[in-house]
């Protein structure tokens, strides 16, 4: 049980770090404008070595930002619940912290999946046609890796919960 929880906690911490780095950095997309390379993130775009804030209130950027922030927050809440699940003192007998941590990691996975799907769909359908020479960059890829890490953290914590429940139902030997 503790092996699953330890593996889940490792995946969650790495996933949360990747979520924060992916959300904060400016390399979601790279493209060529007037012969020079440019890149953009969720908050800024950079051209010719100068970076500018994204001041346009475009719905897909706002949705992607919101879902990435919600994902990082729910992953952090899951990490706290996951750390607390190692403690044996329980004020609530029916409340299982490893189950709560697993649910929070799955919620985080859902939020990052929504963010990545929105950004991917709009970029491929609209921005990709506007810029002929473009590609997704490393911040975007970190978002997808964070999705996998939070998903596996949820799987590990659900396995720990199932092992705990099986032992509890079977009783002491």
């Amino acid at each position: 049980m503790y092996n699953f929880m330890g593996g889940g906690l490792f995946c969650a911490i790495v996933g949360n770090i990747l979520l924060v780095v992916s959300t904060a950095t400016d390399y979601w997309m790279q493209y060529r404008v007037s012969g020079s390379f440019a890149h953009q993130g969720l908050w800024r775009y950079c051209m010719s070595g100068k970076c500018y804030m994204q001041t346009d209130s475009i719905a897909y950027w706002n949705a992607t930002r919101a879902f990435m922030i919600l994902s990082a927050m729910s992953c952090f809440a899951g990490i706290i619940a996951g750390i607390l699940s190692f403690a044996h003192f329980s004020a609530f007998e029916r409340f299982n912290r490893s189950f709560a941590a697993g649910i929070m990691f799955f919620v985080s996975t859902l939020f990052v999946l929504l963010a990545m799907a929105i950004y991917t769909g709009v970029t491929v359908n609209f921005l990709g046609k506007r810029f002929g020479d473009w590609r997704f960059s490393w911040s975007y890829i970190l978002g997808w890796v964070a999705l996998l890490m939070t998903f596996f953290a949820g799987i590990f914590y659900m396995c720990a919960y199932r092992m705990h429940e099986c032992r509890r139902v079977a009783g002491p030997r």
Side-chain angles (χ1 to χ4, degrees):
M1 179 173 85
Y2 289 115
N3 290 335
F4 282 122
M5 288 172 30
L9 196 58
F10 174 77
C11 286
I13 290 170
V14 170
N16 203 22
I17 290 169
L18 293 177
L19 281 169
V20 170
V21 169
S22 174
T23 303
T25 54
D26 302 328
Y27 285 89
W28 280 62
M29 179 177 156
Q30 291 180 329
Y31 49 92
R32 186 183 296 264
V33 175
S34 302
S36 65
F37 285 105
H39 56 88
Q40 74 178 24
L42 298 178
W43 310 100
R44 299 185 318 170
Y45 65 96
C46 302
M47 296 182 351
S48 303
K50 293 182 182 180
C51 294
Y52 308 95
M53 293 299 293
Q54 301 244 14
T55 56
D56 298 334
S57 181
I58 299 174
Y60 90 94
W61 271 330
N62 291 339
T64 304
R65 292 173 187 158
F67 283 130
M68 289 299 282
I69 291 169
L70 286 171
S71 178
M73 289 171 53
S74 61
C75 186
F76 184 74
I79 289 170
I80 298 300
I83 291 170
L84 290 176
S85 69
F86 280 103
H88 290 291
F89 60 91
S90 177
F92 305 106
E93 197 60 38
R94 294 189 182 268
F95 178 71
N96 191 306
R97 292 183 190 110
S98 61
F99 182 75
I103 293 297
M104 292 307 296
F105 295 135
F106 285 137
V107 168
S108 177
T109 301
L110 175 67
F111 284 147
V112 74
L113 177 65
L114 287 171
M116 300 307 287
I118 290 168
Y119 188 85
T120 303
V122 171
T123 302
V124 168
N125 289 326
F126 297 110
L127 294 179
K129 293 176 182 174
R130 190 171 127 199
F131 304 113
D133 184 18
W134 68 277
R135 66 183 175 140
F136 291 116
S137 193
W138 60 268
S139 296
Y140 174 82
I141 294 167
L142 287 182
W144 283 109
V145 174
L147 179 133
L148 292 174
M149 296 303 278
T150 57
F151 178 73
F152 284 121
I155 293 290
F156 282 139
Y157 267 92
M158 286 300 165
C159 288
Y161 169 72
R162 293 289 298 167
M163 286 184 69
H164 174 71
E165 285 298 307
C166 290
R167 287 183 185 164
R168 188 178 66 82
V169 169
R173 292 185 178 188

